[in-house]
């Protein structure tokens, strides 16, 4: 992502000397991000690929271009997310593309395909632990990201893929996405709940994108973390969700 949480994560990755492909639909935002990265880190360390993640062929090509440019892939972050009145599109971006991005990441990193392993982080939300009236379809997609990612993490363990798969669930973060709550195009009929949504933001507080990047770097660098669901909130900071063990 060229803005918001994605932009903060790119900054942290590049400060850690990673080479990064920034994939985003928004060309002007991507060009600005690339020019900032070139000034700070040099032009060879990043590429910007304009791509709609819901276009399966374009996403496949973006992965291939990244591997062609940098030689191999170690980390995939499926971060794109929207909240739109067009709820089917919301599902395509927030869930279907996360699944596609995970499968493509595995094609390029899994030992099953003779590759060297890696790390995939899928971005969900604390909305997956609430059932607020402001965003039913957005909430459903974020539940879906957790279910899919945990199941794929188990598949990776069982199949010896050598790929860690984790989920990151932020509470409210100060990014342009929060502004969507004001717009009927985004909220549809739920726009009438916007004041309630803002009350919830005031109650729970709003996080800085840099803290989400810190959590992301923890998931990337700690190779003991696999199948985990990281939550980041104002009250508890970076912590992990705990699940009841399955009955035997
Ligand atoms: N901001 C918040 O309060 C929270 C955000 N999240 C999640 O974090 C992720 C990032 O969100 P933010 O940075 O806040 O949003 P943002 O709106 O600032 O950035 C999202 C980026 O995704 C890109 N994008 C949207 N549709 C795309 C598509 N079809 N193909 C490619 N790129 C596309 C946008 O151009 C934008 O650069 C999302 O998955 C969001 O659901 C989770 C919890 C809280
Ligand atoms: C109203 C729809 C807008 C959807 C897109 C905008 C914002 C997205 C926000 C989130 O994903 C986060 C949503 C809900 C969780 C927020 C806070 C919970 C904190 C719980 C706690 O601190 O214990």
């Amino acid at each position: 992502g060229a803005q918001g949480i994605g932009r903060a994560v790119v900054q942290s990755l590049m400060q850690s000397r990673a080479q990064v492909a920034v994939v985003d639909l928004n060309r002007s935002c991507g060009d600005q991000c690339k020019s900032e990265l070139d000034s700070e880190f040099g032009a060879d360390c990043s590429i910007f690929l304009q791509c709609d993640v819901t276009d399966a062929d374009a996403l496949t090509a973006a992965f291939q271009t990244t591997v062609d440019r940098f030689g191999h892939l170690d980390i995939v972050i499926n971060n794109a997310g929207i909240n739109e009145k067009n709820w089917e599109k919301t599902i395509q971006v927030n869930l279907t593309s996360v699944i596609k991005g995970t499968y493509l990441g595995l094609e390029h990193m899994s030992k099953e395909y003779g590759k060297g392993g890696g790390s995939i982080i899928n971005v969900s939300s604390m909305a997956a632990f609430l059932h607020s009236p402001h965003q039913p379809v957005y909430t459903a997609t974020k539940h879906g990201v957790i279910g899919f990612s945990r199941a794929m993490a188990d598949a990776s363990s069982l199949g010896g893929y050598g790929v860690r798969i984790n989920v990151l669930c932020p509470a409210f973060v100060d990014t342009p996405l929060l502004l969507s709550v004001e717009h009927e195009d985004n909220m549809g009929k739920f726009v009438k709940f916007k004041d309630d949504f803002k009350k919830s933001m005031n109650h729970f507080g709003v996080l800085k994108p840099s803290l989400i990047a810190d959590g992301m770097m923890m998931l990337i660098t700690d190779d003991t973390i696999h199948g985990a669901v990281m939550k980041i909130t104002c009250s508890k900071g970076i912590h992990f969700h705990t699940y009841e063990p399955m009955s035997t």
Side-chain angles (χ1 to χ4, degrees):
Q3 69 172 24
I5 291 172
R7 178 68 184 85
V9 170
V10 167
Q11 191 69 21
S12 293
L13 281 166
M14 294 195 67
Q15 280 164 354
S16 300
R17 296 167 176 262
Q19 294 173 306
V20 175
V22 180
V23 177
D24 203 299
L25 179 63
N26 186 327
R27 177 169 290 285
S28 61
C29 200
D31 286 342
Q32 188 189 328
C33 171
K34 171 68 178 144
S35 132
E36 289 166 9
L37 295 175
D38 288 355
S39 307
E40 191 169 349
F41 302 103
D44 291 341
C45 298
S46 66
I47 49 174
F48 166 61
L49 301 171
Q50 198 257 342
C51 169
D52 181 342
V53 295
T54 66
D55 179 338
D57 290 341
L59 189 59
T60 302
F63 273 74
Q64 193 57 54
T65 304
T66 304
V67 172
D68 291 346
R69 172 71 175 73
F70 294 123
H72 63 283
L73 192 63
D74 303 304
I75 302 160
V76 171
I77 300 170
N78 291 305
N79 169 71
I82 59 171
N83 180 62
E84 290 201 7
K85 180 176 169 179
N86 181 342
W87 61 266
E88 281 142 320
K89 189 173 171 211
T90 301
I91 294 174
Q92 281 165 9
V93 174
N94 294 12
L95 182 57
T96 310
S97 303
V98 169
I99 294 171
K100 179 74 183 166
T102 302
Y103 284 159
L104 285 167
L106 289 171
E107 274 177 38
H108 287 283
M109 299 192 297
S110 173
K111 292 183 177 172
E112 210 192 6
Y113 301 113
K115 304 292 166 32
S119 172
I120 297 176
I121 296 103
N122 292 332
V123 178
S124 175
S125 161
M126 283 300 291
F129 295 95
L130 308 173
H131 45 91
S132 76
H134 320 112
Q135 43 186 354
V137 174
Y138 179 89
T139 300
T141 62
K142 296 304 186 180
H143 274 260
V145 168
I146 293 181
F148 169 74
S149 305
R150 294 184 73 223
M152 279 309 304
D154 286 351
S156 182
S157 301
L158 283 176
Y161 298 172
V163 177
R164 293 185 297 110
I165 301 176
N166 292 295
V167 186
L168 195 155
C169 298
F172 299 115
V173 188
D174 185 12
T175 74
L177 184 69
L178 284 186
L179 305 176
S180 69
V181 70
E182 299 282 351
H183 303 294
E184 200 269 340
D185 272 359
N186 297 100
M187 300 288 286
K189 67 179 180 179
F190 304 112
V191 74
K192 65 178 172 208
F193 299 142
K194 68 178 178 185
D195 290 334
D196 193 60
F197 183 85
K198 287 186 206 161
K199 237 188 260 171
S200 181
M201 277 171 51
N202 285 335
H203 176 72
F204 288 117
V206 178
L207 298 155
K208 287 192 191 338
S210 59
L211 184 67
I212 313 308
D214 291 346
M216 189 72 79
M217 292 307 288
M218 189 187 293
L219 292 175
I220 290 166
T221 55
D222 184 340
D223 62 13
T224 66
I225 306 177
H226 175 54
V229 177
M230 175 183 277
K231 296 155 119 178
I232 309 184
T233 63
C234 292
S235 59
K236 292 190 181 164
I238 296 172
H239 59 292
F240 289 89
H241 188 71
T242 51
Y243 288 91
E244 291 276 316
M246 303 268 276
S247 54
T248 48

